[in-house]
């Protein structure tokens, strides 16, 4: 049985999709959810699903204590599902090819610091792109620049706005993220 740790800052719809998918499987379960926001929706999901969760501030996040806590779960994967802080270098080094992130656009475009959620969709629309999509990639020391595992695309229609694009992107994410996790763990 693989242990997965999810880091998330927001609503947690991706975390929910992963939890739901794994409920029907027996190869992995979510051991812990970490959030940097005490009012994040993902914490309500954790409580409802009886998954342990912790809220971190910057100091704890960068501490040895936190790194040891993560190590204690012996995670096969650390999954960033809408997590907005950069991962400390020590953690990246401790878990090579075991930390993955989902980004709501086709990297290498529209990535980097400050590029999250609606900021990404606004930038895609402003650039008049005809398609967008999702990127699932390994995490390294630089924002949104680790090796790409999977990309999936969607059309950007004439009348598209950030909300409708976000909806399309979430749809792709909820389908591909759990399956990519399964693929990685079963290799
Ligand atoms: C997702 O669309 C994810 O791709 C994005 O945050 C959203 C979280 O939604 N991540 C980033 O923008 C990272 N740069 P959720 O809380 O409903 O899963």
């Amino acid at each position: 049985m693989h242990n997965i740790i999810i880091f998330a800052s927001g609503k947690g719809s991706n975390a929910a999709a992963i939890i739901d998918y794994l409920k029907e499987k027996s190869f992995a379960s979510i051991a812990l959810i970490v959030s940097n926001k005490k009012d994040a929706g993902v914490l309500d999901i954790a409580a409802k699903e009886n998954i342990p969760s912790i809220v971190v501030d910057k100091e704890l996040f960068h501490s040895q204590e936190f790194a040891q806590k993560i190590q204690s779960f012996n995670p096969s994967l650390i999954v960033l599902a809408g997590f907005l802080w950069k991962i400390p270098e020590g953690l990246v080094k401790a878990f090579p090819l075991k930390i993955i992130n989902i980004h709501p656009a086709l990297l290498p475009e529209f990535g980097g610091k400050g590029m999250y959620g609606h900021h990404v969709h606004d930038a895609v629309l402003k650039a008049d792109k005809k398609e967008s999509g999702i990127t699932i990639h390994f995490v390294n020391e630089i924002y949104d620049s680790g090796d790409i595992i999977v990309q999936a695309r969607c059309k950007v229609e004439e009348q598209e706005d950030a909300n409708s694009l976000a909806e399309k992107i979430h749809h792709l994410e909820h389908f591909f993220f759990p399956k990519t996790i399964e693929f990685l763990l079963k290799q």
Side-chain angles (χ1 to χ4, degrees), residues 76-92:
S76 300
L77 270 185
I78 296 172
V79 174
L80 312 189
F83 187 69
L84 303 185
W85 282 354
K86 200 164 167 214
I87 304 304
E89 211 175 302
L91 219 52
V92 173

